[in-house]
Amino acid sequence: MTTTTTDTTTRETTGADLDAVVARATEAAGRLPALEPRVRAAALDAAAAALDGAADELIALAGEETGLGVPRLTGELRRTRVQLRLFAREVERGAFLDVRIDEADADFALGVPRDDLRRMLSPVGPVLVFAAGNFPFAFSVAGGDTAAALAAGCPVVVKAHPGHPRLSRRVTELVAAALEQAGLPAGTLQLVEGQQAGVDALRHPGIRAASFTGSLRGGRALADIAAGRPDPIPFYGELGSVNPVVALPGAVAAQADSLLEGYVTSVSGSAGQLCTKPGFLLVPTGTNLDTVATAAAGVAEQRLLSPAISDGYEARRDAVLATPDVTVLHEGGVRRDDDGQGWATPTLVACSLDTLRAHADTLLDEAFGPLSVVVAYEPGTDLAAVVLDLFPGNLTGTLLGADTADTGDTGDTDGTDAAADLARLVDALTRTSGRVLFRGWPTGVAVTPAMQHGGPWPATTTDATSVGTAAVGRFLRGVAYQGAPQSLLPAPLRDDNPWGVPQSRGTAGESQRW
């Protein structure tokens, strides 16, 4: 697609155009898996270099369309480039292919000779990526889902987010050209636009997997479409998370002011439009919360992503403020400009644990914007039960003060085993969260091999990760070859191993030691 960054026309990819896009992606899918790792890795490096070379242009364009500031966008673009290069190194290593070879064994332990058997992970085919609005670089055209799919050897069709269409077109131009110049086939990265085009693409038989980052309602609807196809396909949706933070009494006693200041900073960062924003902070009853109001008062107003986001945030904020027995710590507000854009300052409220339970229907939903709830719990509260009951599925769960809990600071003051209570609380957070933090705040997501960015429903539709190198596994499927001639095996499965990837090998006779 040839576009210009000054074109603000609303577009809708037509049915005929969509068929052509998927046809090109299907053709590319037949060629990508056979390309040597060095070629595919070099292409990802070239994509990162293309973004780097156009950084000033892209950051300015993203700022115009999203209202996110230059520091935030600069950091996000850097993250996107690093992400591409990280996956390039993963492709070079080849361990993600999980190559397993079992040699023919005439004396196999089951009593029947075992034929030569070789298994590896192979790309699923064309992947549809629904771009996110709150990360115009890192979760959009050249973001983590795209990087992971390309690393797996899958072509990508991106459904552009309507919040940054010009940026989406420009990034597609730059990255698609870089990939092709580096040796990848035409059609490896393409863009479609429009809500119906996204739905139609998800239903298209040529699309073999899809990923999404967005709202619970939208993601659930798309997940149902993917599951309801005549040939259901994997759908990896990140939908919503309230990311509870539990502060034990020892943490509050030792560092109340810095803890609460960090909380406000995390809630208000990027105008609270981050999927890992802490929606709830649990503190012991009697905690002095004056610092929350002081810190929030110092946060300047920030533009929300779009008028529609502003509408949703205002409705959510009004519902929380109207809830009985909720105390306003800092009311904040939303100013609307002549274009309908919202400019928000943080709203922080407090309530008891009993109030949260009594009004869970209005308080427990995610607020996409700078709003959060401080919840006071009484001594002796079973915090593990609270987590399991009220916060069943999240991207993150944070426990502050675990290092002071050996003195009974889990909230238990009647002499029972504090260590056992702490272990139960950690287990509860582990069962309900994809990432468990013991220090810091969840809005920092490192792009690194060990990262898990996903969690139980409703955080995600499938408990995989969309950040870190493990994300590549979403777009692979296992294939085994039995008794195949060497000449017909994929390169990673051959005995001469021309790609030099790790091979796990089971030798003849080994089964007798099982």
Side-chain angles (χ1 to χ4, degrees):
M1 288 186 175
T2 301
T3 61
T4 62
T5 58
T6 57
D7 182 1
T8 60
T9 305
T10 301
R11 299 181 180 184
E12 181 79 32
T13 302
T14 67
D17 287 342
L18 177 61
D19 285 340
V21 165
V22 177
R24 286 191 292 270
T26 301
E27 183 177 354
R31 297 174 56 193
L32 278 171
L35 293 177
E36 293 184 41
R38 62 176 180 80
V39 175
R40 285 159 49 194
L44 292 171
D45 286 334
L51 295 177
D52 192 23
D56 291 343
E57 174 197 355
L58 297 177
I59 289 168
L61 188 53
E64 291 173 13
E65 292 194 300
T66 68
L68 297 171
V70 170
R72 153 65 198 274
L73 291 169
T74 300
E76 187 185 331
L77 183 55
R78 181 186 304 114
R79 165 183 168 165
T80 305
R81 298 195 303 266
V82 167
Q83 206 161 230
L84 288 163
R85 291 176 176 131
L86 172 65
F87 278 104
R89 307 291 78 75
E90 187 73 1
V91 170
E92 289 173 338
R93 283 190 291 270
F96 71 93
L97 295 172
D98 192 21
V99 174
R100 305 176 184 214
I101 299 174
D102 290 328
E103 298 174 357
D105 189 353
D107 296 319
F108 188 53
L110 295 183
V112 178
R114 181 187 70 197
D115 203 351
D116 183 272
L117 193 63
R118 300 171 185 240
R119 180 186 187 273
M120 63 177 287
L121 297 180
S122 298
V124 297
V127 172
L128 175 63
V129 172
F130 288 85
N134 59 335
F135 281 89
F137 292 121
F139 280 87
S140 190
V141 172
D145 289 337
T146 296
L150 293 175
C154 299
V156 176
V157 176
V158 178
K159 188 273 178 186
H161 194 279
H164 49 270
R166 290 182 293 145
L167 178 67
S168 298
R169 295 166 198 159
R170 184 62 178 137
V171 171
T172 302
E173 290 175 349
L174 290 167
V175 173
L179 295 175
E180 290 184 36
Q181 290 168 10
L184 301 195
T188 296
L189 178 65
Q190 299 174 86
L191 188 74
V192 298
E193 298 186 53
Q195 181 176 355
Q196 189 58 49
V199 172
D200 291 345
L202 186 59
R203 291 190 172 116
H204 199 291
I207 295 297
R208 306 315 306 159
S211 66
F212 169 87
T213 301
S215 69
L216 176 59
R217 186 176 73 170
R220 178 56 189 265
L222 293 173
D224 288 346
I225 291 172
R229 289 172 37 140
D231 56 337
I233 60 172
F235 180 86
Y236 301 100
E238 182 189 317
L239 311 185
S241 183
V242 297
N243 308 301
V245 177
V246 179
L248 299 179
V252 175
Q255 50 178 337
D257 286 346
S258 61
L259 187 154
L260 295 174
E261 288 169 356
Y263 165 63
V264 173
T265 298
S266 188
V267 169
S268 59
S270 295
Q273 300 169 119
L274 299 175
C275 51
T276 51
K277 182 201 73 183
F280 294 88
L281 170 64
L282 279 65
V283 298
T285 297
T287 300
N288 187 336
L289 299 176
D290 291 346
T291 299
V292 172
T294 302
V299 177
E301 68 175 12
Q302 301 174 76
R303 205 197 95 179
L304 298 173
L305 288 167
S306 69
I309 293 293
S310 300
D311 292 342
Y313 174 67
E314 283 194 282
R316 183 81 190 92
R317 177 176 174 274
D318 290 346
V320 170
L321 291 175
T323 303
D325 300 320
V326 164
T327 300
V328 177
L329 301 175
H330 185 266
E331 188 165 356
V334 181
R335 176 181 64 84
R336 305 300 285 261
D337 64 18
D338 293 341
D339 296 324
Q341 297 283 5
W343 296 76
T345 49
T347 295
L348 288 304
V349 303
C351 69
S352 68
L353 187 54
D354 287 342
T355 296
L356 181 61
R357 286 195 174 106
H359 299 286
D361 56 336
T362 58
L363 292 177
L364 275 177
D365 287 344
E366 180 184 20
F368 193 70
L371 183 151
S372 187
V373 182
V374 181
V375 182
Y377 63 86
E378 297 288 344
T381 297
D382 186 345
L383 294 174
V386 170
V387 169
L388 292 171
D389 181 36
L390 298 179
F391 309 109
N394 290 280
L395 295 171
T396 72
T398 302
L399 176 59
L400 302 179
D403 53 347
T404 66
D406 58 349
T407 59
D409 284 342
T410 58
D412 189 344
T413 59
D414 61 4
T416 58
D417 189 350
D421 288 345
L422 180 61
R424 288 180 59 245
L425 178 53
V426 172
D427 178 68
L429 290 168
T430 300
R431 290 164 61 186
T432 57
S433 306
R435 176 165 55 112
V436 181
L437 292 82
F438 292 86
R439 58 175 176 257
W441 296 93
T443 40
V445 181
V447 179
T448 187
M451 179 53 66
Q452 170 68 24
H453 190 67
W457 174 268
T460 55
T461 56
T462 302
D463 199 357
T465 183
S466 60
V467 178
T469 53
V472 71
R474 296 172 298 165
F475 308 118
L476 296 164
R477 66 182 186 90
V479 180
Y481 299 80
Q482 184 168 336
Q486 288 283 316
S487 61
L488 296 180
L489 285 169
L493 291 177
R494 285 163 37 188
D495 287 339
D496 61 352
N497 193 11
W499 289 2
V501 301
Q503 294 179 330
S504 173
R505 187 176 289 268
T507 59
E510 182 180 5
S511 67
Q512 296 296 329
R513 298 190 297 273
W514 291 353

